[in-house]
Amino acid sequence: MKGMIFVHLVDFVEQAIGMEETEQLLVSANLPSGGSYTSVGSYDVVEVATIVGHASEATGLSEAVLYREFGRYLFGELVSSHPTFVAGADDPLTLLTRVERHIHVEVRKLYPDAQLPRFTHTWEEDGSLTLIYESERGLGDLCEGLIRGCFDHFDERPKLEGTPIQGGPLPAVRFSVARE
């Protein structure tokens, strides 16, 4: 996983529990990287789970909640550092349909070795969107947080339901997404 995700995760945890506590968390987690990340480096995704697990213990929040809240935070950080990714999208649903064919294309230009999740979408007759997230990393809660962060960006609230898809080659979640 690209280091920029780790850099933002450490910042997120620092905001939640403080700098000193985060430093202690990274040391006690005994991470292969030592808890030191650069945005252009690549690190094992297991370290994300380890950091989130330790942050869960420190905050008393479930790992699922932390992943979702980190996703919301991460969306804002990504938009701040890459505003062109959202340029031209007038609403959250339109932006979500552009992830695979626009945003991920641009991400691959910046990070050719990035292993990105796969997104497919279908517009439903009622105007809602079915979004399928597939990734060997199985970070559906993080994806949900990113979707919520997308809606936050447009100052809107989503009607959002995620359902795990069983039996496929990769962990996957089907999200039903609509504007409230």
Side-chain angles (χ1 to χ4, degrees), residues 112-129:
D113 63 335
Q115 296 175 330
L116 301 171
R118 182 170 173 242
F119 290 94
T120 55
H121 69 274
T122 305
W123 284 106
E124 304 301 333
E125 288 183 22
D126 65 0
S128 67
L129 185 68

Side-chain angles (χ1 to χ4, degrees):
M1 181 173 267
K2 295 310 295 177
M4 73 167 190
I5 303 299
F6 287 88
V7 169
H8 290 304
L9 177 59
V10 170
D11 289 344
F12 170 76
V13 172
E14 279 182 5
Q15 289 182 23
I17 65 173
M19 189 178 342
E20 288 182 27
E21 292 82 357
T22 300
E23 291 292 327
Q24 287 179 308
L25 180 150
L26 294 172
V27 169
S28 67
N30 197 28
L31 301 161
S33 68
S36 179
Y37 305 105
T38 65
S39 60
V40 295
S42 293
Y43 306 93
D44 192 329
V45 70
V46 171
E47 291 194 32
V48 169
T50 301
I51 293 168
V52 169
H54 279 73
S56 174
E57 292 174 15
T59 63
L61 298 172
S62 73
E63 291 181 19
V65 166
L66 285 172
Y67 274 115
R68 287 191 297 268
E69 288 305 309
F70 173 56
R72 287 177 95 158
Y73 170 84
L74 180 60
F75 186 89
E77 294 299 305
L78 294 174
V79 168
S80 180
S81 58
H82 302 288
T84 58
F85 288 0
V86 298
D90 296 328
D91 65 85
L93 294 177
T94 300
L95 183 57
L96 290 171
T97 66
R98 296 173 57 194
V99 170
E100 191 67 29
R101 292 185 182 212
H102 176 73
I103 296 172
H104 280 178
V105 169
E106 296 302 315
V107 170
R108 284 185 184 96
K109 289 177 186 175
L110 295 170
Y111 305 102
D113 63 335
Q115 296 175 330
L116 301 171
R118 182 170 173 242
F119 290 94
T120 55
H121 69 274
T122 305
W123 284 106
E124 304 301 333
E125 288 183 22
D126 65 0
S128 67
L129 185 68
T130 296
L131 184 67
I132 307 291
Y133 158 84
E134 295 177 284
S135 174
E136 62 191 25
R137 295 184 180 112
L139 296 172
D141 288 321
L142 178 63
C143 181
E144 180 181 328
L146 287 163
I147 293 168
R148 291 184 183 282
C150 177
F151 274 80
D152 291 344
H153 175 75
F154 290 96
D155 293 321
E156 294 191 32
R157 295 178 53 111
K159 286 181 12 183
L160 177 61
E161 183 178 332
T163 306
I165 300 172
Q166 305 297 324
L170 296 174
V173 178
R174 175 182 292 108
F175 290 100
S176 175
V177 189
R179 298 160 88 174
E180 263 190 9

